[in-house]
Amino acid sequence: MAGAPGSQHGLPAPNFDEGAVPAYSLPDPLRFEDGSAVADARDWTERRRPELLELFRRHVYGRAPDARGRTGWRTVELDRRALGGAATRKLVEVEIRGVRPGAARLAFRVHVLVPNERPGPAPSFLLLNNRGPERADPTRDTKGGFWPAEALVARGYAAAAFCVGDVAPDERDSFGSGVHALFDDRRGPEHWGTLAAWAFGASRVLDAFEADADLDAARVALVGHSRGGKAALWCGAEDDRVALVAANESGCGGAALGRRRFGETVAHVNALFPHWFCGAFAAFGGREDVLPVDQHELVALLAPRAVYVASAQDDLWADPKGEFLSLVHAEPVYALFGRGGLGSHAAPTVGAPRHGDAMGYHVRAGGHDLTRYDWERFLDFADVHLRAR
Ligand code: GTR
């Protein structure tokens, strides 16, 4: 793929040839680090899941601070006649109170459009918006496939979005700013990276949703595209209040298996975006086989909750096949809970979504973007799992 971002950094050219994918063997999510086997769902939940979560914190995303009692929220704007009367628009300010003197609080804004016609508290889709604010415009002056709020509301879901950059800037040297500055004065190897900070922000939005009588916080789907998809998956792993995660073209550090080294690799992503991860992750560039985890285990951390992975045919940088395989290899963990996965492991067909039991997948035609097509599939899947009541 000409001009793939990695080629500018003196790194090996990325591989886009399926025939050149190296032989690899994946870590088994159902084996403890001491080699013993996970016996049942209880063993998984009480012992193996915490062990795995800790491995991801130490080696990949870093450890976020304890947020208990640190969130505040208030509605700063309310319009009951938004979307031509179909929705109530709220602008909610979420506040995070820090522990460091001189960096006491950070406030960021969440836009929510709640359907006015609803039988009770609404299920919702919360977008971790990693693009400009105009991509999730609550006034609807700017509309597009990235956040088709009207379509969500028409199907009974609240449409919510916040800009991840308001929680932590997407910049290399940003550790001393955004939400990081509230808690830390230095960056160590296990300190939370920017993806973990965005995930932390999404969890604080859930704190606010739990206090909002118009919303059902037990039926929240997180949606993230690309780097936003990586953060959405990690949020679902860290926060079991999340009912469904839809990770769109999340690629390396998201749903794609690292050991395949197809498209963007651990070396590329660390060279381009070292701040996204904890410092320790950089050591695994080109050494994916010694990383104690792979990304199917990130998906497994969501079990038995609903998970949707979406790819785009031309988005080889994100490794569509590796994204699909993460679901496949997470299935044994879902099976512990009596939950089925995708239903079939046959190679997916472009434009033919596969919605199994707790897992959904599609690969659509076209390139790297979050589109109306993707959302329509997430909605179909959510109708089964979050059922708009
Ligand atoms: C790319 C990056 C990917 C993905 C993407 C995006 O440059 O290499 O991992 O996150 O940006 O967020 O659109």
Side-chain angles (χ1 to χ4, degrees):
M1 200 163 87
S7 45
Q8 304 144 17
H9 283 258
L11 294 166
N15 173 42
F16 297 109
D17 173 5
E18 191 58 37
V21 169
Y24 61 90
S25 95
L26 292 174
D28 182 349
L30 294 181
R31 255 185 210 283
F32 289 96
E33 291 311 288
D34 68 5
S36 62
V38 172
D40 51 24
R42 185 165 168 198
D43 218 10
W44 165 263
T45 304
E46 291 181 3
R47 296 172 56 224
R48 175 57 175 156
R49 188 179 186 283
E51 181 179 66
L52 202 44
L53 192 56
E54 192 56 25
L55 289 171
F56 274 104
R57 288 183 187 134
R58 274 175 41 206
H59 300 289
V60 185
Y61 303 102
R63 192 185 316 281
D66 185 348
R68 270 169 300 182
R70 306 218 149 268
T71 314
W73 51 84
R74 62 191 182 112
T75 301
V76 292
E77 280 177 30
L78 187 72
D79 171 9
R80 296 192 189 281
R81 309 289 313 154
L83 304 188
T88 293
R89 180 181 66 81
K90 299 183 188 191
L91 173 57
V92 179
E93 196 180 81
V94 176
E95 179 189 81
I96 304 172
R97 292 181 286 269
V99 298
R100 290 190 58 223
R105 69 185 282 274
L106 174 120
F108 67 99
R109 301 179 139 205
V110 186
H111 295 285
V112 191
L113 289 157
V114 191
N116 282 336
E117 240 177 72
R118 53 168 202 278
S124 53
F125 276 91
L126 173 62
L127 173 69
L128 285 72
N129 182 14
N130 55 302
R131 298 282 168 89
E134 73 290 346
R135 292 295 202 102
D137 176 10
T139 69
R140 310 311 290 152
D141 288 344
T142 311
K143 292 182 189 168
F146 203 79
W147 196 55
E150 291 77 8
L152 273 61
V153 166
R155 287 179 64 163
Y157 295 88
F162 71 99
C163 285
V164 292
D166 292 346
V167 176
D170 194 355
E171 292 158 11
R172 272 171 189 251
D173 298 321
S174 62
F175 197 73
S177 59
V179 73
H180 289 119
L182 301 185
F183 295 95
D184 301 292
D185 57 3
R186 66 182 177 90
R187 181 170 183 160
E190 290 184 20
H191 274 77
W192 50 329
T194 303
L195 296 175
W198 296 343
F200 181 87
S203 284
R204 306 293 66 82
V205 176
L206 280 184
D207 295 344
F209 282 10
E210 283 185 328
D212 187 331
D214 292 340
L215 301 173
D216 183 352
R219 290 187 293 154
V220 177
L222 295 186
V223 177
H225 169 60
S226 205
R227 65 197 73 186
K230 305 180 211 292
L233 285 165
W234 181 236
C235 181
E238 281 277 31
D239 190 336
D240 60 14
R241 295 173 299 176
V242 175
L244 186 159
V245 176
N248 196 64
E249 298 151 32
S250 57
C252 183
L257 290 177
R259 279 165 174 74
R260 277 175 46 80
R261 282 155 273 195
F262 186 100
E264 185 172 33
T265 63
V266 173
H268 294 118
V269 80
N270 273 303
L272 292 160
F273 307 103
H275 57 289
W276 285 355
F277 303 94
C278 69
F281 190 49
F284 296 99
R287 299 172 64 238
E288 288 84 350
D289 291 315
V290 296
L291 185 62
V293 294
D294 210 322
Q295 300 304 110
H296 61 304
E297 295 176 304
L298 177 62
V299 174
L301 288 173
L302 303 175
R305 292 168 287 151
V307 58
Y308 200 109
V309 170
S311 309
Q313 184 180 24
D314 300 336
D315 185 19
L316 297 183
W317 184 239
D319 185 14
K321 184 171 177 184
E323 294 180 315
F324 171 75
L325 287 176
S326 264
L327 290 175
V328 169
H329 293 292
E331 281 187 350
V333 177
Y334 277 78
L336 286 182
F337 295 89
R339 298 301 304 265
L342 284 168
S344 155
H345 296 174
T349 311
V350 175
R354 193 169 301 164
H355 294 185
D357 182 13
M359 294 178 177
Y361 178 81
H362 71 250
V363 52
R364 63 159 168 76
H368 190 64
D369 199 2
L370 176 57
T371 69
R372 177 72 183 250
Y373 176 92
D374 301 312
W375 280 102
E376 297 285 358
R377 307 291 80 74
F378 302 157
L379 283 161
D380 293 345
F381 186 68
D383 281 351
V384 176
H385 295 278
L386 305 184
R387 209 176 299 281
R389 306 195 275 253

